């Protein structure tokens, strides 16, 4: 398969690097990472080990973006720009692995080429040309509206050919909302309390994370997705347990003074809740505090 990975930072370099063991991959990345990959290849270290030579560019032409599959791995807030650039090429299928509700921005530019995706692999960009796998997870792809899908099966098979753990999921809407509940609970609370995920196994942070997850489930149901409060809370507990020593991506953003994905996570729950008349006081408060931090940003 001809695959473009748009936004090859941590996750995109890991997934794109692993796919390059079997497929023709182009990474759209920033310098100096892109330059190093183009010159000396990409090293995958940590829990997996590979040295591959995908193409890499910072400035893709429409020809570069013409492919069988475009994976979007930018931060949620860069999705709209990524979609506009991808629309200059001709990709058969586009699939985002970003956290948060980002499909609106993709569909607006790319229409029914868009599949939903989610990833639980862990990745960190060590430096130019090297990405560390911090957790071997799983990738799911499927139709935005759910249901069996030949094209999702094709994408999943291509991932598996390259040795990635990937399944087509006919219940992708539920999976995405469950992941949103996990991120709404864990990311926002750990970023504000400045604790590792494991700190939410007990105590006051656990209660706030559960409330945020329950609200997300309520909004999901109003949106037509069958996610119970109990399932959303159980998903938070499972991820807290499995990633106890992790600093969530939002905590990492706050500690590094970077921009957070608050709009696509807590903010998206609030906005979608408002569309359906569902109150989301916990997510509203978490989003407001994260945005207040973003405005003034003390990091030490
Ligand atoms: N890292 C992980 O383990 C996981 C991450 N995720 C999700 O995946 C998404 C990506 O996360 P992560 O990989 O950590 O983030 P990164 O910031 O490491 O990667 C995104 C990369 O995309 C680049 N980028 C953005 N726009 C462009 C553009 N127009 N052209 C070229 N490059 C561009 C960014 O550059 P710049 O910063 O300079 O704009 C950055 O290098 C997030 O939504 C995250 O929540 C999900 C599961 C696991
Ligand atoms: C699953 C979790 C919460 C792991 O830390 C994550 O997705 C993140 O940090 O963004």
């Amino acid at each position: 398969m001809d695959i473009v990975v748009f936004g090859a930072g941590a996750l995109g370099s890991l997934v794109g690097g692993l796919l390059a063991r079997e497929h023709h991959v182009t990474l759209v990345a920033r310098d100096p990472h892109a330059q190093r990959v183009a010159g000396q290849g990409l090293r995958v270290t940590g829990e997996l080990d590979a040295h591959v030579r995908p193409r890499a560019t910072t400035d893709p032409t429409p020809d570069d973006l013409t492919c069988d599959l475009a994976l979007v791995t930018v931060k949620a807030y860069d999705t709209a720009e990524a979609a506009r650039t991808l629309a200059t090429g001709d990709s058969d299928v586009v699939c985002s692995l970003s956290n948060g509700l980002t499909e609106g921005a993709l569909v607006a530019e790319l229409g029914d080429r868009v599949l939903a995706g989610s990833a639980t692999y862990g990745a960190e960009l060590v430096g130019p040309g090297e990405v560390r796998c911090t957790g071997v997870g799983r990738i799911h792809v499927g139709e935005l509206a759910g249901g069996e899908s030949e094209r999702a099966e094709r994408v999943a098979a291509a991932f598996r050919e390259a040795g990635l753990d990937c399944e087509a999921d006919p219940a992708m809407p539920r999976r995405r909302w469950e992941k949103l509940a996990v991120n709404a609970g864990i990311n926002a609370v750990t970023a504000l309390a400045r604790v590792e995920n494991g700190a939410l196994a007990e105590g006051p942070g656990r209660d706030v994370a559960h409330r945020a997850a329950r609200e997300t489930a309520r909004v999901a149901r109003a949106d037509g997705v069958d996610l119970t409060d109990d399932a959303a809370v159980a998903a938070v507990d499972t991820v807290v347990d499995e990633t106890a020593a992790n600093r969530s991506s939002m905590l990492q953003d706050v500690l590094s003074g970077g921009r957070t994905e608050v709009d696509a996570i807590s903010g998206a729950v609030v906005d979608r809740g408002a569309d359906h008349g569902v109150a989301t006081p916990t997510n509203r408060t978490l989003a407001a505090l994260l945005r207040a931090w973003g405005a003034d940003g003390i990091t030490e």
Side-chain angles (χ1 to χ4, degrees):
M1 254 195 191
D2 256 323
I3 300 174
V4 169
V5 179
F6 197 101
L11 182 66
S13 296
L14 175 63
V15 173
L18 297 175
L19 286 170
R21 297 183 295 193
E22 188 66 30
H23 301 286
H24 182 258
V25 172
T26 301
L27 303 183
V28 180
R30 302 289 196 200
D31 276 337
H33 184 53
Q35 207 173 19
R36 186 68 66 87
V37 172
Q40 289 157 42
L42 171 68
R43 286 189 186 281
V44 177
T45 55
E47 293 195 23
L48 294 170
D49 182 43
H51 185 205
V52 286
R53 293 193 165 271
R55 288 191 63 227
T57 175
T58 55
D59 193 15
T61 63
D63 264 2
D64 292 331
L65 299 172
T66 296
C67 56
D68 301 311
L69 169 67
L71 287 176
V72 180
T73 55
V74 295
K75 292 279 197 177
Y77 46 77
D78 284 326
T79 306
E81 196 201 320
R84 280 193 292 276
T85 308
L86 279 169
T88 63
D90 186 10
S91 43
D92 287 347
V93 176
V94 179
C95 180
S96 171
L97 299 180
S98 306
N99 279 331
L101 291 188
T102 60
E103 73 273 19
L106 288 172
V107 171
E109 294 291 336
L110 300 157
D112 61 11
R113 284 183 268 172
V114 178
L115 283 180
S118 79
T120 59
Y121 278 80
E124 278 173 25
L125 205 57
V126 178
E130 181 178 345
V131 63
R132 183 186 300 134
C133 175
T134 55
V136 177
R138 181 171 263 206
I139 291 171
H140 288 94
V141 293
E143 296 295 332
L144 289 173
E148 299 295 334
S149 163
E150 223 174 89
R151 59 187 187 158
E153 294 288 353
R154 246 193 342 266
V155 169
F159 274 71
R160 287 195 298 270
E161 273 167 39
L164 284 115
D165 191 344
C166 183
E167 295 288 340
D169 185 356
M172 208 56 206
R174 184 183 185 286
R175 182 175 295 282
R176 292 185 62 254
W177 276 94
E178 189 179 284
K179 181 103 193 273
L180 186 64
V182 167
N183 291 135
I186 299 178
N187 294 32
V189 178
T190 54
L192 289 165
R194 306 206 175 190
V195 291
E196 289 172 349
N197 295 354
L200 305 187
E202 55 190 17
R206 179 174 193 252
D207 181 52
V208 182
H210 283 182
R211 282 171 197 268
R214 269 190 229 105
E215 281 179 12
T216 308
R218 252 170 254 147
V219 177
R221 292 198 294 278
D223 218 54
V225 172
D226 175 28
L227 178 65
T228 64
D229 287 11
D230 285 352
V233 166
V236 168
D237 287 345
T238 302
V239 174
V240 164
D241 192 40
E242 287 174 354
T243 64
N246 274 26
R247 291 180 169 187
S248 75
S249 56
M250 201 175 274
L251 174 60
Q252 291 179 47
D253 291 337
V254 165
L255 293 175
S256 67
R259 185 173 169 187
T260 73
E261 296 184 297
V262 56
D263 294 341
I265 298 178
S266 317
V269 177
V270 173
D271 293 347
R272 204 61 80 88
D275 291 345
H276 294 297
V278 176
T280 53
T282 302
N283 281 286
R284 187 176 289 280
T285 303
L286 292 170
L289 292 174
L290 286 162
R291 286 171 178 147
W293 172 84
D296 280 318
I298 295 169
T299 54
E300 69 271 17

